[in-house]
């Protein structure tokens, strides 16, 4: 296990420049932080220095520390957990042929590692979240990414069993987890996977909002459950966005309205890219939210994402042209689906393409 995780740590260190914007870019600070946080998790998780991870995470939570784009640093640490399991890379080959379809031994090793971490510090919600994530990743390895009707019965059964184990892990740490917004966010995720009833999920969602009414990821997780393909609706998403603004407007203005729609866009665009142009989506209010967002957090990633949403999701030529003019040469590639998309939006907004 040590050899595998050490190799990933080394690979992540070599890959770090991929996270970094070019010298002189105003986005360098946020991009650097994201890369540094991922490497911090991988390095200390692989070496077993859990105390260092817990200290960093506890401090970030206590201080409500934010990155230049306005997202919470502690939330970003939780999003880095998957990189500690090898990121997007598949598990290594099994020791003996023929290899099973899912390398369960790989995931068991990670679960044992995180169980040791949790035993070392029973108060660590980061350890509990990491252990739950290890069960969830194994669950999805069995299930696969296809539609439910394409999944074999035995694989779906294994998925549900492992997902329940993830939920039990989080509930076991509830005494400390209830004080951590990311514990709530992960609990909501696994409750959705576990096919909680709409009524039970709605109650859990409102409990999470009551506990942390100003945390992005709580709303982001709930918004995913409100997608039409999960039994939700456009109205439910709009109602959540309005509730989030009401809870945060004293400090954040309309920013949460933009953030929530920005977050759900990737779950909506299978219905057509221009989903913000639908009559049941309030693009002017989303646009006002983006204006508040870039005013409060003038990071170029936010500004580039605003331009992309105006172009691709709303097909608002005037706003796209105005925001691209503000961006000028400070293009952030990570905010776009490739250079071609940026070039197309720029050309279209200038009237050079239909």
């Amino acid at each position: 296990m040590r050899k595998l995780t050490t190799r990933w740590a080394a690979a992540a260190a070599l890959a770090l420049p991929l996270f970094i914007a070019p010298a002189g870019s105003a986005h360098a600070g946020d991009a650097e932080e994201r890369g540094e946080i991922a490497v911090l998790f991988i390095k200390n998780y692989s070496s077993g220095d859990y105390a260092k991870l817990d200290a960093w995470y506890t401090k970030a939570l206590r201080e409500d520390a934010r990155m230049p784009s306005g997202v919470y640093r502690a939330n970003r640490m939780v999003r880095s957990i998957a990189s500690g399991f090898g990121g997007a890379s598949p598990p290594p080959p099994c020791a003996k042929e023929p290899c099973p379809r899912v390398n369960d031994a790989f995931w068991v090793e990670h679960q044992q590692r995180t169980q040791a971490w949790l035993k070392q510090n029973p108060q660590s919600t980061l350890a509990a979240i990491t252990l739950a994530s290890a069960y969830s990743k194994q669950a999805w390895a069995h299930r696969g990414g296809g539609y439910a009707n394409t999944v074999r019965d035995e694989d779906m059964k294994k998925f549900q069993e492992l997902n329940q184990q993830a939920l039990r892990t989080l509930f076991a740490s509830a005494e400390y987890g209830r004080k951590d917004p990311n514990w709530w966010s992960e609990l909501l995720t696994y409750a959705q996977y576990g096919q909680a009833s709409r009524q039970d999920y709605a109650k859990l969602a409102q409990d999470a909002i009551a506990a942390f009414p100003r945390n992005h990821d709580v709303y982001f997780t709930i918004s995913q459950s409100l997608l039409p393909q999960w039994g939700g609706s456009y109205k439910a998403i709009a109602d959540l966005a309005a509730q989030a603004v009401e809870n945060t407007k004293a400090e954040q203005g309309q920013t949460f309205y933009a953030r929530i729609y920005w977050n759900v866009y990737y779950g909506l665009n299978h219905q057509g890219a221009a989903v913000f142009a639908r009559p049941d989506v309030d693009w002017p209010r989303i646009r006002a939210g983006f204006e508040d967002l870039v005013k409060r957090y003038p990071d170029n990633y936010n500004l580039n994402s605003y331009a992309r949403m105006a172009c691709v999701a709303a097909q608002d030529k005037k706003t796209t042209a105005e925001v691209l003019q503000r961006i000028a040469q400070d293009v952030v590639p990570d905010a776009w689906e490739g250079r071609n998309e940026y070039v197309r939006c720029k050309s279209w907004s200038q009237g050079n393409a239909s």
Side-chain angles (χ1 to χ4, degrees):
M1 181 69 171
R2 177 64 59 83
K3 289 181 180 179
L4 292 175
T5 48
T6 301
R7 183 178 75 236
W8 288 326
L14 291 172
L16 184 56
L18 296 176
F19 290 92
I20 307 303
S25 168
H27 183 56
D30 197 81
E32 284 174 348
E33 277 201 45
R34 275 189 266 160
E36 288 168 358
I37 289 170
V39 170
L40 174 70
F41 186 88
I42 296 167
K43 179 181 178 181
N44 292 286
Y45 173 75
S46 64
S47 66
D49 194 351
Y50 308 128
K52 186 171 183 179
L53 284 176
D54 284 329
W56 186 99
Y57 185 72
T58 300
K59 184 173 185 290
L61 281 177
R62 183 177 64 249
E63 296 176 353
D64 277 341
R66 294 177 186 261
M67 297 170 65
S69 60
V71 300
Y72 288 104
R73 298 183 77 212
N75 295 21
R76 177 56 59 177
M77 171 64 82
V78 170
R79 295 186 188 188
S80 298
I81 288 172
S83 60
F85 302 147
S89 302
C94 61
K96 296 180 180 180
E97 298 287 349
C99 290
R101 189 177 65 83
V102 177
N103 190 346
D104 286 308
F106 169 86
W107 294 111
V108 170
E109 284 189 81
H110 277 293
Q111 290 151 15
Q112 291 173 342
R113 173 181 286 273
T114 47
Q115 285 164 353
W117 176 3
L118 196 54
K119 185 176 181 179
Q120 177 181 308
N121 183 5
Q123 298 184 26
S124 172
T125 56
L126 183 60
I129 290 169
T130 304
L131 177 56
S133 180
Y135 287 121
S136 179
K137 295 295 183 185
Q138 184 185 13
W140 279 100
H142 278 275
R143 184 195 183 284
Y147 289 107
N149 61 3
T150 68
V151 180
R152 298 183 307 175
D153 290 344
E154 59 267 35
D155 293 333
M156 186 61 79
K157 180 180 179 182
K158 190 68 174 177
F159 172 78
Q160 293 295 345
E161 288 174 354
L162 289 163
N163 186 66
Q164 288 300 316
Q165 187 61 48
L167 279 169
R168 284 193 291 271
T169 297
L170 292 178
F171 279 123
S173 67
E175 179 182 355
Y176 307 106
R178 290 181 181 279
K179 304 171 187 176
D180 183 338
N182 294 306
W183 179 87
W184 284 100
S185 181
E186 295 298 292
L187 188 65
L188 285 161
T189 296
Y190 303 136
Q192 181 182 355
Y193 294 163
Q195 300 177 326
S197 71
R198 299 300 298 180
Q199 183 177 359
D200 289 344
Y201 191 91
K203 173 63 167 60
L204 182 62
Q206 291 308 312
D207 287 346
I209 291 172
F212 291 95
R214 296 187 297 277
N215 190 273
H216 309 102
D217 278 21
V218 167
Y219 292 104
F220 290 167
T221 304
I222 297 168
S223 69
Q224 292 299 313
S225 77
L226 299 178
L227 291 169
Q229 59 266 39
W230 282 97
S233 66
Y234 282 87
K235 182 181 184 303
I237 294 169
D239 288 346
L240 177 69
Q243 180 184 8
V245 169
E246 186 63 28
N247 289 342
T248 60
K249 63 184 179 181
E251 298 175 353
Q252 300 294 323
Q254 294 289 316
T255 63
F256 270 60
Y257 208 88
R259 284 197 185 276
I260 286 175
Y261 274 94
W262 178 9
N263 177 69
V264 297
Y265 173 70
Y266 299 96
L268 292 173
N269 66 3
H270 70 284
Q271 299 182 357
V275 291
F276 290 179
R278 290 173 55 103
D280 45 2
V281 175
D282 190 346
W283 166 244
R285 189 169 182 184
I286 298 172
R287 183 176 57 210
F290 270 113
E291 289 293 342
D292 264 1
L293 177 62
V294 298
K295 182 185 298 182
R296 286 171 167 79
Y297 305 102
D299 183 83
N300 272 322
Y301 183 79
N302 290 343
L303 196 61
N304 275 255
S305 296
Y306 178 15
R308 179 173 184 255
M309 290 295 101
C311 173
V312 178
Q315 293 188 345
D316 181 341
K317 184 178 289 190
K318 181 174 183 291
T319 299
T320 303
E322 290 174 351
V323 180
L324 285 174
Q325 187 173 21
R326 287 150 69 181
I327 290 170
Q329 300 303 311
D330 292 322
V331 179
V332 179
D334 285 355
W336 300 86
E337 290 289 333
R339 176 174 172 77
N340 287 343
E341 184 181 67
Y342 164 76
V343 171
R344 178 176 62 79
C345 284
K346 184 175 182 180
S347 179
W348 171 74
S349 69
Q350 294 173 345
N352 298 326
S354 57

